[in-house]
Amino acid sequence: MATIELQAVAKTYPGKDAQYILRGIDFLIEDGEFVVLVGPSGCGKSTLLRMIAGLEEISAGEIRIDGERVNDTPPAKRGLSMVFQSYALYAHMSVFENIAFGLRLARVPKAEIKVAVHAVAKMLQMEHLLQRRPPQLSGGQRQRVAIGRAIVRKPRAFLFDEPLSNLDAALRADMRVEIARLHKQLGATMVYVTHDQVEAMTLADRIVVLGPNGVQQIGAPMHLYDRPANVFVAGFIGSPKMNLFPATLDAAGQLHIGTVRLDWADARQPQAGSEVTVGIRPEHLVADPQGAIEGTVLLVERLGAESYVHLAVPGLDKSLMVVVSDEPPAVDARWRVAPVAGRVHVFDRNGLRMDASAQATSSGEVVAKVS
Ligand code: ADP
Ligand code: MG
């Protein structure tokens, strides 16, 4: 298995007037680590993964696998297996032949191929499907074949590009669990691209959040959830999304959000009138008759186990979302809520996290500026 190291990696496409798709990408993926690259569509996730695979040239910087520079190493020599969203299976070949294809090219003896394919099919619980062809399989089964084809080559690391995006929600959840199990079983280094932050949260040892300006933050999932380094990460990680509002911070350390006043325990040397952004997750607001935030209930979405309450608060430009697990208030009712202590996030005018912990980065964490 392998470490993967990116150093000052950048990508421009010719004809784009030296406009960078990606620049200054720096991080180290540890041996056996599950790293998820997450970010909105078009931010360069696939490009980055394809550069690691060698399918796309890098414009600057260096990529090392197990310490060895691979900038000029062709894809087949990098020892990596990639799984694509589109499955990329051969429709006219059986499942067995699809999985065996890479080994055949590598002239592995027939008997050995047979053993290897059956072992992989067993691991993925698809031994009964080996004689079928891809058109005779469901989407989930096809993706399983694509994963089997990647595993059988015993790669140094796996690269996944949105492998579950074409599956329906229930199947996606099943396959997510299966990929987590595979990672445990194989102990392999995995780099996994997705735009789905639930997949990122549940699968990753560490998440790399990519935004329009490159890497926004790198860290363990709960670290990103608890301490997003900037407004971009705050809005991207967490479901439902964090409530974010423009506010001012006065000299006494009080936040003014429209007509709402909140004390902020973490305020240090605030400047009167500082423009900030306040973030509170919907699950960190609780009903409280003495709460500082009062509004009118606009809409209640009942999901069964919990409800999303949309509260119109005077002076706020959009409604506030609150997650409630007991009986929600009625539509049109007046309702008061308060944030859970220590769960108010404040970001400065540049969008960077402001509290005392903001500077203390855990090992390997990168904090990038939002602009
Ligand atoms: P993601 O996977 O995050 O959705 P991509 O890596 O596919 O994003 O694309 C990142 C950006 O690079 C996009 O703006 C896309 O239009 C651009 N891009 C991708 N491939 C090419 C190409 N061959 N030539 C020019 N621009 C490209
Ligand atoms: Mg992509």
Side-chain angles (χ1 to χ4, degrees):
M1 292 302 157
T3 60
I4 299 172
E5 198 173 352
L6 286 85
Q7 203 173 56
V9 168
K11 181 71 183 176
T12 59
Y13 283 108
K16 277 215 159 187
D17 298 331
Q19 217 191 330
Y20 284 93
I21 305 292
L22 292 162
R23 72 193 303 177
I25 306 293
D26 267 302
F27 57 86
L28 170 71
I29 298 168
E30 303 282 358
D31 185 27
E33 195 176 17
F34 199 127
V35 166
V36 174
L37 304 178
V38 72
S41 182
C43 71
K45 303 180 297 296
S46 294
T47 303
L48 187 54
L49 201 66
R50 291 168 59 80
M51 289 194 293
I52 296 172
L55 299 171
E56 196 78 68
E57 235 177 89
I58 69 175
S59 309
E62 202 164 285
I63 298 181
R64 287 190 286 270
I65 299 177
D66 269 342
E68 186 196 332
R69 186 179 188 274
V70 296
N71 288 26
D72 306 312
T73 308
K77 295 262 162 64
R78 294 193 187 193
L80 309 175
S81 275
M82 189 149 164
V83 177
F84 300 89
Q85 177 181 350
S86 61
Y87 318 135
L89 301 176
Y90 297 109
H92 63 284
M93 291 185 191
S94 69
V95 168
F96 183 99
E97 289 165 334
N98 266 282
I99 296 175
F101 191 75
L103 301 180
R104 287 236 165 100
L105 280 188
R107 297 180 190 281
V108 175
K110 258 193 173 155
E112 241 175 81
I113 291 178
K114 199 171 167 192
V115 172
V117 171
H118 278 279
V120 165
K122 188 168 181 207
M123 187 189 290
L124 293 170
Q125 288 144 35
M126 56 178 190
E127 287 166 294
H128 60 295
L129 302 176
L130 285 174
Q131 296 319 315
R132 287 206 207 163
R133 277 181 287 118
Q136 302 165 324
L137 301 175
S138 69
Q141 290 169 333
R142 282 178 215 177
Q143 191 53 281
R144 212 172 286 218
V145 177
I147 292 170
R149 188 177 52 182
I151 293 173
V152 82
R153 297 174 47 208
K154 294 200 167 47
R156 295 201 280 179
F158 291 85
L159 309 177
F160 293 93
D161 192 359
E162 310 222 20
L164 308 185
S165 297
N166 288 347
L167 307 178
D168 63 48
L171 202 51
R172 219 156 55 212
D174 287 350
M175 287 300 287
R176 209 169 66 210
V177 172
E178 196 142 324
I179 287 173
R181 183 180 62 80
L182 266 181
H183 177 245
K184 222 173 189 167
Q185 192 173 345
L186 300 170
T189 307
M190 292 187 171
V191 189
Y192 187 104
V193 163
T194 181
H195 64 268
D196 181 330
Q197 62 86 34
V198 175
E199 274 174 35
M201 286 298 286
T202 54
L203 286 171
D205 292 320
R206 276 190 309 156
I207 296 176
V208 177
V209 182
L210 286 173
N213 300 301
V215 176
Q216 299 288 323
Q217 191 174 9
I218 301 178
M222 286 310 289
H223 182 77
L224 302 195
Y225 175 85
D226 289 333
R227 307 226 155 269
N230 56 46
V231 169
F232 182 88
V233 177
F236 198 81
I237 297 289
S239 176
K241 277 191 189 317
M242 186 186 283
N243 296 292
L244 290 164
F245 292 99
T248 55
L249 179 59
D250 69 19
Q254 233 188 15
L255 296 163
H256 299 235
I257 318 160
T259 56
V260 174
R261 303 274 174 280
L262 282 183
D263 289 320
W264 184 40
D266 252 325
R268 292 168 308 147
Q269 302 177 314
Q271 287 179 329
S274 304
E275 285 174 39
V276 297
T277 300
V278 172
I280 308 174
R281 296 195 184 281
E283 60 273 34
H284 294 149
L285 285 162
V286 290
D288 179 346
Q290 261 77 54
I293 306 170
E294 189 185 22
T296 306
V297 176
L298 263 185
L299 175 74
V300 176
E301 297 175 280
R302 287 178 179 269
L303 303 181
E306 56 192 19
S307 303
Y308 296 165
V309 177
H310 299 260
L311 194 64
V313 180
L316 301 194
D317 57 349
K318 55 183 190 288
S319 62
L320 188 72
M321 201 206 277
V322 182
V323 175
V324 179
S325 47
D326 334 317
E327 186 57 23
V331 172
D332 291 335
R334 300 286 293 167
W335 199 47
R336 273 185 182 275
V337 293
V340 174
R343 291 296 197 169
V344 175
H345 306 263
V346 183
F347 304 94
D348 68 16
R349 62 167 65 229
N350 296 315
L352 300 180
R353 184 174 192 86
M354 279 179 78
D355 62 73
S357 72
Q359 306 309 321
T361 56
S362 63
S363 69
E365 183 180 341
V366 174
V367 175
K369 198 169 176 145
V370 180
S371 61

